[in-house]
Short mmCIF file of all heavy atoms in Angstrom, two decimals:
data_model
loop_
_atom_site.label_atom_id
_atom_site.label_comp_id
_atom_site.label_asym_id
_atom_site.label_seq_id
_atom_site.Cartn_x
_atom_site.Cartn_y
_atom_site.Cartn_z
N ALA G 113 85.00 158.36 111.83
CA ALA G 113 84.39 157.16 112.41
C ALA G 113 84.20 156.19 111.25
O ALA G 113 83.92 156.61 110.13
CB ALA G 113 83.06 157.50 113.03
N ALA G 114 84.38 154.91 111.51
CA ALA G 114 84.31 153.94 110.42
C ALA G 114 83.70 152.63 110.91
O ALA G 114 83.66 152.35 112.11
CB ALA G 114 85.72 153.69 109.87
N GLY G 115 83.25 151.83 109.95
CA GLY G 115 82.79 150.49 110.26
C GLY G 115 83.97 149.53 110.14
O GLY G 115 84.80 149.68 109.25
N GLY G 116 84.04 148.54 111.03
CA GLY G 116 85.16 147.61 111.03
C GLY G 116 84.85 146.35 110.23
O GLY G 116 83.79 145.73 110.42
N THR G 187 83.29 154.97 100.60
CA THR G 187 82.17 154.98 99.67
C THR G 187 81.67 156.44 99.62
O THR G 187 82.05 157.26 100.46
CB THR G 187 81.01 154.08 100.13
OG1 THR G 187 80.38 154.70 101.27
CG2 THR G 187 81.49 152.69 100.51
N MET G 191 74.38 156.06 102.33
CA MET G 191 73.87 154.83 102.93
C MET G 191 75.02 154.05 103.57
O MET G 191 76.15 154.11 103.09
CB MET G 191 73.23 153.87 101.91
CG MET G 191 72.58 154.47 100.72
SD MET G 191 73.79 155.16 99.58
CE MET G 191 74.58 153.72 98.90
N TYR G 192 74.69 153.30 104.62
CA TYR G 192 75.63 152.28 105.07
C TYR G 192 75.61 151.20 103.99
O TYR G 192 74.77 151.19 103.09
CB TYR G 192 75.20 151.72 106.44
CG TYR G 192 75.36 152.74 107.54
CD1 TYR G 192 74.25 153.30 108.17
CD2 TYR G 192 76.63 153.16 107.93
CE1 TYR G 192 74.40 154.25 109.17
CE2 TYR G 192 76.78 154.11 108.93
CZ TYR G 192 75.68 154.65 109.54
OH TYR G 192 75.83 155.59 110.52
N GLU G 193 76.53 150.24 104.11
CA GLU G 193 76.70 149.25 103.05
C GLU G 193 75.72 148.09 103.23
O GLU G 193 75.21 147.87 104.32
CB GLU G 193 78.15 148.72 103.07
CG GLU G 193 79.20 149.78 102.90
CD GLU G 193 79.31 150.75 104.08
OE1 GLU G 193 79.12 150.31 105.23
OE2 GLU G 193 79.57 151.94 103.85
N VAL G 209 85.53 150.76 106.70
CA VAL G 209 84.79 151.45 105.64
C VAL G 209 84.14 152.71 106.20
O VAL G 209 83.71 152.74 107.36
CB VAL G 209 83.73 150.49 105.02
CG1 VAL G 209 82.69 150.04 106.04
CG2 VAL G 209 83.03 151.13 103.83
N GLY G 210 84.14 153.76 105.38
CA GLY G 210 83.54 155.01 105.82
C GLY G 210 83.17 155.86 104.61
O GLY G 210 83.28 155.40 103.47
N MET G 211 82.72 157.08 104.89
CA MET G 211 82.20 157.93 103.81
C MET G 211 82.98 159.24 103.69
O MET G 211 82.42 160.25 103.24
CB MET G 211 80.73 158.26 104.10
CG MET G 211 79.85 157.06 104.37
SD MET G 211 78.20 157.57 104.86
CE MET G 211 77.55 156.03 105.52
N ALA G 234 83.44 152.46 114.90
CA ALA G 234 82.20 152.73 115.64
C ALA G 234 81.29 151.51 115.69
O ALA G 234 80.42 151.41 116.56
CB ALA G 234 81.46 153.88 114.98
N ASN G 235 81.48 150.59 114.76
CA ASN G 235 80.58 149.44 114.67
C ASN G 235 81.23 148.37 113.80
O ASN G 235 82.15 148.65 113.04
CB ASN G 235 79.25 149.87 114.00
CG ASN G 235 79.50 150.58 112.67
OD1 ASN G 235 79.77 151.79 112.63
ND2 ASN G 235 79.45 149.82 111.58
N LYS G 236 80.73 147.15 113.94
CA LYS G 236 81.12 146.10 112.98
C LYS G 236 80.37 146.43 111.69
O LYS G 236 79.18 146.80 111.74
CB LYS G 236 80.68 144.72 113.48
CG LYS G 236 81.41 144.20 114.70
CD LYS G 236 82.89 144.02 114.52
CE LYS G 236 83.28 142.78 113.80
NZ LYS G 236 84.76 142.73 113.57
N ALA G 237 81.02 146.31 110.56
CA ALA G 237 80.38 146.65 109.28
C ALA G 237 79.16 145.75 109.04
O ALA G 237 79.03 144.68 109.64
CB ALA G 237 81.39 146.51 108.14
N ALA G 238 78.29 146.22 108.16
CA ALA G 238 76.99 145.55 107.93
C ALA G 238 77.15 144.05 107.66
O ALA G 238 78.00 143.63 106.88
CB ALA G 238 76.30 146.21 106.74
N LEU G 245 72.57 149.23 111.45
CA LEU G 245 73.47 150.34 111.75
C LEU G 245 72.70 151.66 111.81
O LEU G 245 71.73 151.85 111.09
CB LEU G 245 74.54 150.45 110.67
CG LEU G 245 75.37 149.20 110.41
CD1 LEU G 245 76.43 149.46 109.36
CD2 LEU G 245 76.02 148.71 111.69
N VAL G 250 76.74 155.17 116.03
CA VAL G 250 78.10 155.62 115.68
C VAL G 250 78.53 156.73 116.64
O VAL G 250 79.63 156.70 117.20
CB VAL G 250 78.14 156.13 114.21
CG1 VAL G 250 79.43 156.88 113.91
CG2 VAL G 250 77.97 154.97 113.24
N1 HPA U 1 79.95 152.29 107.09
C1 HPA U 1 80.22 153.50 106.54
N2 HPA U 1 80.50 154.57 107.27
C2 HPA U 1 80.55 154.42 108.61
C3 HPA U 1 80.28 153.19 109.23
C4 HPA U 1 79.97 152.07 108.42
O1 HPA U 1 79.72 150.94 108.91
N3 HPA U 1 80.39 153.40 110.57
C5 HPA U 1 80.73 154.70 110.74
N4 HPA U 1 80.82 155.33 109.56
#
Side-chain angles (χ1 to χ4, degrees):
T187 71
M191 329 71 70
Y192 291 111
E193 301 69 35
V209 62
M211 308 174 194
N235 53 276
K236 292 299 281 176
L245 305 182
V250 167

